[in-house]
C-alpha cells in the first residue's frame, strides 16, 4: 500500500470543523487499502498563539518539512484582533509558506454545473468556467525590505513596504504557469503593473523571454492588473492560466473565486521546488477563510477542504485516479442537491458540515463499487 505522511494543521474557527471531514475521506482511503495516511496534527495561527504565545512554532515547521504534504485548514478571527502585529494568526501562515519555500500558489476557479446559478454573474458568462491563478507566494511586497512604520515630526507617521522581483523569482514562478498551461489550453495571461512599476517591467520582460526561449507552444499575453480585474468580471472565460505576483494574486484570486459563487468549494495548492530526493514541499488549503461568524455552528461547507485533499493526491503524489474519485464523489453529492447552507438553493433541507462529509464518503463507496 502507498504510505504518505501528512501534517494536518486545522487552525482556527471553522478550520477544525472542515478538517474533520477531510480526515474522514483520508480514513476511507486507508480502510479501503488504497493509501495509508500517517497523520500528525499541529497547531497554527490563533490556536497556536493561545497555547504557545506564537502563531507558528519551530516544532510545527519541523513537522511540516518532514511530512510528505501539509493539509491546512484556516486561521484568524476577531479573538486575536488585539494581538501584536508580528504574532497575528496570519503571520503564522506567511512564515510557514516562507520556511517551506512555497513559492507557487495554484488557485483554480471552477464553476460546478450544479452551482451555475450561485454566481453573481449571468449563467452564460460563467457556465463551464475553469481557470487557474498561479500566484507568486513568497516574494514581492509581502516580504520586501525595507518595510515598517516610521514616526515623523508633527504627529505624522509613515507606513512603507517594498515591491521587488528578481529574474530568478520571476522565472521559477513563470515556469510553473507555462508547464501547467501546457497540460491545459496552452494560454497564459501574465498580469503586472508595468505601466507604473519597475518591478512590473522586469516581470513582463523576463516572462516574455522565458516563453520565447522554452515554451514556444504557449500563447502568452500580458495584461495590466486593473484591466485584468475588469476582464475577469466582463468575460472570465477568455482566460486559462493567469500568472501574477503575490499581492495582485491575492486580490485577483478572491475576485475569481467569487465568480464561481461558491467560495466554500475552492481548494488551493502551495508548492515549492523539488529537493535532491525528489520531494516537493507542499501545502493544501481551502481558499475560504476561517469564517468566525459561523464557527461552532457545524454548518460550514467542508468541500473546499476535501477538494484540497484531492489536489494533494494529484499534485504531490501523482495519484490522479484517486483524486478523481474525490472530485466525482463531490459532483454526485451536488447533483443530488445535498447542500450546506452556503450553496443551498431551496430544494430539500441544507445539511451540516458532518452530514456533508458523510455524504461524500458514502458516494466514494458507491463509486468504488462500480
Ligand atoms: C490568502 C490570505 C493570506 C494572504 C492572509 C491570510 C495572510 O488572504 O491566502 O489569500 O494574504 O496571502
Ligand atoms: Mn487572500
Amino acid at each position: 500500500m502507498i504510505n504518505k505522511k501528512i501534517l494536518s494543521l486545522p487552525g482556527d474557527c471553522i478550520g477544525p470543523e472542515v478538517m474533520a471531514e477531510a480526515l474522514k475521506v483520508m480514513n476511507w482511503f486507508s480502510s479501503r487499502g488504497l493509501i495509508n495516511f500517517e497523520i500528525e496534527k499541529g497547531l497554527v495561527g490563533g490556536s497556536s498563539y493561545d497555547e504557545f504565545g506564537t502563531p507558528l512554532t519551530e516544532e510545527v515547521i519541523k513537522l511540516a518539512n518532514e511530512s510528505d504534504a501539509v493539509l491546512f485548514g484556516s486561521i484568524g478571527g476577531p479573538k486575536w484582533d488585539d494581538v501584536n502585529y508580528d504574532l497575528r494568526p496570519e503571520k503564522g501562515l506567511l512564515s510557514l509558506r516562507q520556511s517551506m519555500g512555497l513559492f507557487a500558489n495554484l488557485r483554480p476557479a471552477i464553476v460546478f454545473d450544479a452551482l451555475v446559478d450561485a454566481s453573481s454573474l449571468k449563467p452564460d458568462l460563467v457556465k463551464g468556467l475553469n481557470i487557474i491563478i498561479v500566484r507568486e507566494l513568497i516574494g514581492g511586497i509581502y516580504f520586501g525590505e525595507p518595510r515598517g512604520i516610521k514616526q515623523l515630526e508633527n504627529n505624522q507617521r509613515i507606513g512603507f513596504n517594498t515591491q521587488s522581483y528578481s529574474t530568478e523569482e520571476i522565472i521559477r514562478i513563470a515556469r510553473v504557469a507555462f508547464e501547467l498551461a501546457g497540460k491545459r489550453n496552452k494560454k497564459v495571461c501574465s498580469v503586472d503593473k508595468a505601466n507604473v512599476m519597475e518591478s512590473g517591467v522586469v516581470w513582463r520582460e523576463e516572462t516574455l523571454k522565458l516563453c520565447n526561449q522554452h515554451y514556444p507552444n504557449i500563447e502568452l499575453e500580458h495584461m495590466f492588473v486593473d484591466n485584468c480585474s475588469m476582464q475577469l468580471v466582463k468575460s472570465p472565460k477568455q482566460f486559462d492560466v493567469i500568472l501574477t505576483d503575490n499581492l495582485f494574486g491575492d486580490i485577483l484570486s478572491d475576485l475569481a473565486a467569487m465568480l464561481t459563487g461558491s467560495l466554500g468549494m475552492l481548494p488551493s495548492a502551495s508548492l515549492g521546488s523539488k529537493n535532491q530526493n525528489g520531494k516537493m514541499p507542499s501545502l493544501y488549503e481551502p481558499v475560504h477563510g476561517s469564517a468566525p461568524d459561523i464557527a461552532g455552528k457545524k454548518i460550514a461547507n467542508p468541500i473546499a477542504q476535501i477538494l484540497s485533499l484531492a489536489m494533494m493526491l494529484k499534485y504531490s503524489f501523482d495519484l490522479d485516479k484517486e483524486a478523481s474519485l474525490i472530485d466525482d464523489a463531490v459532483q454526485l453529492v451536488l447533483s443530488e442537491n445535498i447542500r450546506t447552507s452556503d450553496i443551498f438553493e431551496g430544494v430539500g433541507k441544507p445539511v451540516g458540515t458532518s452530514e456533508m462529509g458523510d455524504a461524500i464518503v458514502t458516494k466514494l463507496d458507491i463509486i468504488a463499487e462500480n
Side-chain angles (χ1 to χ4, degrees):
M1 188 166 23
I2 304 161
N3 256 298
K4 298 294 175 195
K5 211 163 135 188
I6 307 301
L7 175 64
S8 153
L9 297 175
D12 309 323
C13 298
I14 64 163
E17 298 172 35
V18 291
M19 183 65 80
E21 305 312 309
L23 291 178
K24 284 182 189 167
V25 175
M26 286 200 251
N27 286 336
W28 181 86
F29 279 100
S30 301
S31 70
R32 289 260 161 178
L34 296 169
I35 310 166
N36 182 42
F37 289 108
E38 191 186 312
I39 302 162
E40 285 268 9
K41 245 180 108 168
L43 294 177
V44 69
S47 53
S48 170
Y49 176 81
D50 289 347
E51 183 84 16
F52 305 113
T54 169
L56 181 69
T57 58
E58 287 301 323
E59 171 69 12
V60 164
I61 296 178
K62 186 166 165 272
L63 287 174
N65 286 321
E66 285 166 3
S67 68
D68 292 316
V70 176
L71 190 62
F72 192 96
S74 54
I75 43 137
K79 183 178 175 197
W80 301 282
D81 275 355
D82 296 328
V83 170
N84 180 307
Y85 194 68
D86 284 329
L87 296 173
R88 304 271 306 243
E90 293 79 3
K91 187 73 189 175
L93 176 56
L94 293 173
S95 307
L96 187 59
R97 287 172 179 167
Q98 200 177 31
S99 42
M100 292 177 73
L102 306 173
F103 67 91
N105 185 211
L106 276 42
R107 297 192 164 180
I110 294 168
V111 170
F112 295 83
D113 276 347
L115 297 181
V116 69
D117 291 318
S119 173
S120 49
L121 294 194
K122 295 193 185 87
D124 56 315
L125 281 185
V126 293
K127 191 169 176 359
L129 180 74
N130 182 343
I131 63 180
I132 186 160
I133 297 188
V134 176
R135 168 191 178 194
E136 199 291 326
L137 202 57
I138 54 173
I141 204 158
Y142 270 57
F143 295 94
E145 298 284 349
R147 64 186 297 157
I149 299 177
K150 222 186 259 163
Q151 188 69 46
L152 306 176
E153 286 157 20
N154 318 327
N155 248 349
Q156 292 290 303
R157 296 193 303 160
I158 179 165
F160 56 100
N161 294 86
T162 301
Q163 161 88 332
S164 70
Y165 272 105
S166 67
T167 303
E168 198 185 344
E169 285 176 301
I170 298 165
I171 287 182
R172 74 175 175 181
I173 188 69
R175 222 179 245 140
V176 173
F178 291 136
E179 294 285 340
L180 199 60
K183 296 182 199 144
R184 300 171 45 106
N185 292 333
K186 310 203 166 31
K187 266 171 59 179
V188 172
C189 176
S190 172
V191 176
D192 59 48
K193 191 67 187 166
N195 51 348
V196 176
M197 295 163 77
E198 284 78 1
S199 56
V201 172
V202 178
W203 182 281
R204 193 169 277 227
E205 290 173 0
E206 295 297 339
T207 327
L208 180 62
K209 200 161 105 195
L210 179 70
C211 186
N212 287 342
Q213 284 178 354
H214 297 286
Y215 298 94
N217 61 330
I218 302 290
E219 184 192 323
L220 172 66
E221 175 189 20
H222 302 280
M223 211 178 261
F224 297 134
V225 63
D226 48 349
N227 184 25
C228 180
S229 57
M230 188 266 273
Q231 295 296 336
L232 270 170
V233 250
K234 188 175 164 224
S235 57
K237 283 191 255 181
Q238 70 182 281
F239 297 105
D240 178 22
V241 176
I242 293 179
L243 160 68
T244 193
D245 77 12
N246 204 342
L247 181 63
F248 298 153
D250 180 45
I251 300 167
L252 293 178
S253 63
D254 264 27
L255 195 163
M258 207 51 226
L259 292 176
T260 71
S262 40
L263 206 52
M265 306 279 301
L266 298 178
S268 77
S270 302
L271 313 174
S273 303
K274 280 199 175 131
N275 66 15
Q276 304 99 310
N277 310 327
K279 196 180 96 181
M280 173 182 68
S282 60
L283 178 150
Y284 298 84
E285 60 176 316
V287 168
H288 64 67
S290 61
D293 53 321
I294 58 163
K297 294 189 181 160
K298 304 187 162 84
I299 57 168
N301 185 347
I303 293 182
Q305 186 76 66
I306 289 171
L307 292 177
S308 297
L309 172 65
M311 268 189 113
M312 176 195 289
L313 299 184
K314 182 168 168 181
Y315 287 95
S316 285
F317 308 141
D318 290 320
L319 295 169
D320 289 30
K321 221 176 69 215
E322 288 77 357
S324 306
L325 280 176
I326 301 182
D327 293 338
D328 293 349
V330 168
Q331 295 284 1
L332 258 181
V333 158
L334 292 176
S335 67
E336 287 180 10
N337 288 317
I338 301 171
R339 308 282 169 92
T340 43
S341 53
D342 56 312
I343 50 173
F344 180 65
E345 282 161 341
V347 182
K349 163 174 140 320
V351 302
T353 310
S354 166
E355 288 97 326
M356 180 55 100
D358 293 341
I360 291 171
V361 169
T362 306
K363 297 300 177 209
L364 282 170
D365 276 331
I366 293 172
I367 298 169
E369 263 136 45
N370 281 308

